[in-house]
């Protein structure tokens, strides 16, 4: 936003209704609030992908095998998925600004702790704190944007900028991470969050205005505890199952615990006066279907990113920077296809667009089944781009369909559920595919199995949304 002309304006005479701070560019605080919110969401998305290029360097520096690397990635997404709904409720209760700033402070401090970690256990613990900070940042950044832009048209544009910045961060993560590791070392990928965090904190403190507090909004602590424990036990069972064996007593006990905790979570949410996850939302057919699609798609996409990070570095011996370049077609295809997805959805309908995107990504997975150690990158680059393009095509209509399937008053919690289910999918994808590929001497067999599973999940997701939307009940809920 340009304000240079303000320097040459004649200052009006002072009067009882004269407010110089408003006359001197009243939109500047709003624009800088948008900048702060974009930094918050952007740094969250950056850390979703930037760590993958550092897996080999982290493993070499701190020791440990594939299971430890799975925990480095999954600790972040477990906390992200488990806390995001409660974080939004907390912002409603005590004000989104102070909660958002607390999230930025936690994320930034945890990033420094990651950079200073002396062993894998400390790094995993710090990554979980990063995930907590991420869970706080995302819903409250949207709440502050909604507060800063009361006009619906302007708010729509602001959210578009907010989302585009996050997409750019997601895309640039592998490349930026590879460059930083090559020039400085793997610890630098966490230290890069320090200036971003400090800038975001200052802009939020200086320009964001606090939202209306709702003291009557309750925090569902029992539901929160059950959700964290259930997801953590499930991820632990899958990760450790690849190392200890699926019949190991610890693995069996973890699976059993996750099932019991999941049932307790559902029972709690059914009875809670203000549940963390309102189960009534799943009475909307399209809401349930789009949530399922978000889960399945992220299992495939982020699980494959983890596997291919190991493939490029462990199997083909690429440097971190070369690995970042290798991911560029996949990540780079997401943003431009995002921009045309809305037009495609207008022509053929949102469910058909989602199904088409899922089918494209599934085709890309099946086309990669011939991959072997030493396979030329030119033989797989197009397939990676197709996978990314399919994801870019389905996510915008997926989000709009989910939000349009519920009442507007519940759109905030609906968006939170979509984020939670997608992050849960990321946890399960990394855990499952990492366990398959982490078997001694069986990396390529695990990689091929991961591709087949991904294709099946994507095709199932596309079929579910296509079939569900074609029913009378599904059709009436279409946005």
């Amino acid at each position: 936003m340009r304000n240079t002309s303000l320097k040459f304006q004649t200052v009006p005479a002072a009067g009882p209704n004269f407010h110089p701070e408003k006359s001197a560019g009243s939109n500047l605080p709003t624009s800088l609030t948008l900048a702060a919110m974009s930094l918050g969401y952007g740094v969250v998305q950056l850390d979703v992908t930037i760590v993958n290029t550092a897996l080999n360097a982290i493993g070499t520096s701190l020791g440990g095998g594939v299971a430890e690397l799975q925990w480095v990635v999954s600790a972040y997404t477990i906390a992200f998925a488990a806390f995001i709904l409660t974080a939004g409720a907390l912002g409603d209760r005590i004000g989104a600004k102070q909660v958002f700033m607390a999230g930025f402070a936690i994320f930034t401090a945890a990033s420094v702790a990651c950079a200073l970690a002396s062993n894998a256990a400390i790094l995993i613990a710090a990554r979980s704190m990063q995930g907590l900070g991420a869970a706080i940042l995302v819903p409250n950044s949207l709440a502050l944007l909604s507060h800063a832009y009361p006009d619906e048209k302007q708010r729509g544009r602001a959210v578009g900028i907010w989302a585009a910045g996050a997409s750019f961060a997601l895309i640039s993560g592998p490349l930026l991470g590879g460059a930083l590791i090559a020039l400085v070392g793997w610890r630098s990928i966490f230290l890069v969050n320090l200036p971003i965090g400090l800038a975001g904190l200052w802009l939020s403190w200086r320009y964001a205005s606090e939202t209306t507090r709702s003291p009557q909004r309750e925090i569902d602590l029992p539901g929160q505890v059950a959700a964290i424990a259930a997801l953590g036990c499930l991820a632990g069972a899958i990760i450790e199952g690849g190392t200890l064996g699926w019949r190991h007593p610890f693995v069996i006990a973890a699976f059993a615990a996750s099932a019991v905790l999941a049932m307790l979570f559902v029972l709690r949410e059914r009875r809670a006066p203000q549940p963390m996850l309102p189960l009534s939302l799943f009475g909307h057919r399209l809401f349930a279907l789009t949530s399922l699609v978000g889960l399945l798609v992220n299992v495939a996409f982020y699980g494959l990113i983890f596997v291919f990070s190991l493939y490029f570095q462990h199997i083909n011996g690429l440097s971190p920077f070369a690995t970042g370049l290798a991911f560029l077609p996949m990540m780079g295809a997401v943003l431009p296809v995002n921009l045309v997805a809305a037009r495609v959805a207008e022509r053929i309908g949102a469910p058909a667009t989602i199904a088409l995107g899922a089918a494209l990504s599934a085709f890309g997975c099946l086309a990669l089944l011939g991959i072997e150690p030493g396979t030329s990158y030119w033989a797989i680059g197009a397939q990676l781009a197709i996978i990314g393009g399919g994801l870019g095509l389905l996510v915008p209509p997926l989000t709009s369909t989910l939000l349009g399937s519920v009442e507007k008053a519940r759109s905030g919690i609906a968006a939170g559920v979509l984020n939670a289910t997608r992050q849960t999918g990321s946890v399960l994808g990394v855990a499952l595919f990492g366990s398959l590929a982490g078997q001694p001497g069986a990396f390529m067999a695990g990689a091929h199995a991961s591709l087949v599973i991904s294709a099946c999940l994507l095709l199932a997701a596309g079929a579910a949304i296509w079939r569900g939307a074609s029913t009378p009940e599904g059709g009436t809920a279409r946005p």
Side-chain angles (χ1 to χ4, degrees):
M1 179 181 297
R2 297 186 303 172
N3 291 310
T4 54
S5 61
L6 295 174
K7 298 178 181 178
F8 305 100
Q9 290 178 343
T10 302
V11 178
N17 296 320
F18 174 58
H19 300 282
E21 71 281 1
K22 292 185 178 180
S23 66
S26 60
N27 287 330
L28 181 61
T30 305
S31 298
L32 292 176
T33 297
L34 172 58
M37 302 307 106
S38 298
L39 286 175
Y41 191 28
V43 77
V44 166
Q45 293 297 88
L46 181 67
D47 269 56
V48 169
T49 57
I50 196 172
V51 172
N52 284 284
T53 53
L55 292 175
N56 189 49
I58 291 172
T60 302
S61 174
L62 301 182
V66 173
E68 284 75 14
L69 296 179
Q70 286 173 274
W71 278 115
V72 168
V73 176
S74 295
Y76 180 83
T77 45
I78 289 172
F80 194 173
F83 283 105
I84 191 168
L85 295 176
T86 295
L90 187 62
D92 291 342
R93 181 179 174 85
I94 66 175
K97 177 178 177 177
Q98 60 177 316
V99 176
F100 178 82
M101 291 182 64
F104 235 143
I106 291 170
F107 191 94
T108 305
S111 297
V112 175
C114 288
L116 299 177
S118 57
N119 56 57
I122 294 175
L123 178 59
I124 291 167
R127 284 283 287 167
S128 68
M129 293 304 297
Q130 267 194 319
L132 171 61
I136 295 172
L137 285 170
V138 173
N140 289 289
S141 65
L142 269 176
L144 287 169
L145 274 187
S146 181
H147 184 67
Y149 290 88
D151 178 75
E152 184 175 354
K153 186 175 181 180
Q154 290 183 347
R155 182 168 62 251
R157 292 176 180 175
V159 171
I161 295 171
W162 174 85
S167 295
F168 179 76
L170 189 73
I171 292 165
S172 62
L175 190 59
L176 176 61
L180 287 171
I181 295 163
L183 294 173
V184 186
W186 68 265
R187 298 178 188 276
S188 62
I189 68 169
F190 298 110
L191 290 176
V192 74
N193 296 333
L194 183 58
I196 298 174
L198 293 176
L201 277 169
W202 185 83
L203 288 171
S204 303
W205 170 76
R206 180 67 178 82
Y207 295 105
S209 56
E210 186 59 276
T211 59
T212 303
R213 295 176 175 86
S214 302
Q216 71 278 9
R217 183 71 162 96
E218 296 180 4
I219 305 300
D220 182 16
L221 290 178
Q224 179 65 85
V225 172
I228 298 169
L231 185 55
C233 286
L234 180 58
I238 299 173
I239 291 172
E240 298 302 329
T243 303
L244 302 176
W246 301 106
R247 297 182 180 180
H248 192 279
F250 172 82
V251 175
I252 295 173
F255 273 123
S258 68
V260 171
L261 288 163
M263 288 188 290
L264 290 174
F265 174 74
V266 172
L267 290 174
R268 166 64 190 178
E269 298 310 284
R270 288 180 63 182
R271 298 175 181 176
Q274 293 189 31
M276 183 178 87
L277 176 60
L279 298 179
S280 60
L281 288 173
F282 293 94
H284 300 265
R285 184 189 295 271
L286 274 182
F287 180 88
L289 287 172
T290 48
S291 297
L292 175 64
V293 170
L295 175 77
L296 297 179
V297 166
N298 270 38
V299 170
F301 189 73
Y302 288 98
L304 288 179
I305 288 176
F306 182 84
V307 170
F308 274 94
S309 296
L310 297 178
Y311 171 76
F312 288 136
Q313 296 179 74
H314 282 192
I315 305 301
N316 282 2
L318 296 186
S319 68
F321 183 68
T323 299
L325 288 174
F327 276 115
L328 198 56
M330 175 188 274
M331 299 297 185
V334 174
L335 182 56
V337 180
N338 273 166
L339 299 177
V340 302
R343 294 184 180 180
V344 176
E346 289 171 4
R347 287 180 174 270
I348 66 175
T353 305
I354 296 168
L356 176 61
L360 283 173
S361 292
F363 172 77
C365 292
L366 295 176
L368 284 170
L369 285 176
I371 192 171
E372 295 293 343
T375 298
S376 168
Y377 181 77
W378 300 108
I380 63 175
Q383 294 92 314
L384 292 174
I386 291 171
I387 294 173
L391 180 75
L393 184 63
L394 69 85
V395 168
L398 179 75
T399 305
S400 62
T401 301
L402 178 136
L403 294 178
S405 68
V406 299
E407 303 85 359
K408 285 188 176 181
R410 308 186 84 181
S411 59
I413 188 67
V417 172
L418 178 61
N419 273 294
T421 53
R422 291 188 65 192
Q423 293 305 318
T424 299
S426 302
V427 172
L428 299 180
V430 172
L432 176 59
F433 294 177
S435 293
L436 293 172
Q439 300 289 335
F443 182 89
M444 292 312 305
H448 292 150
S450 300
L451 288 165
V452 172
I453 293 171
S454 294
C456 291
L457 293 177
L458 289 162
L459 291 173
I465 193 71
W466 178 272
R467 184 184 177 100
S470 66
T471 64
E473 184 183 347
T476 58
R478 288 179 64 177

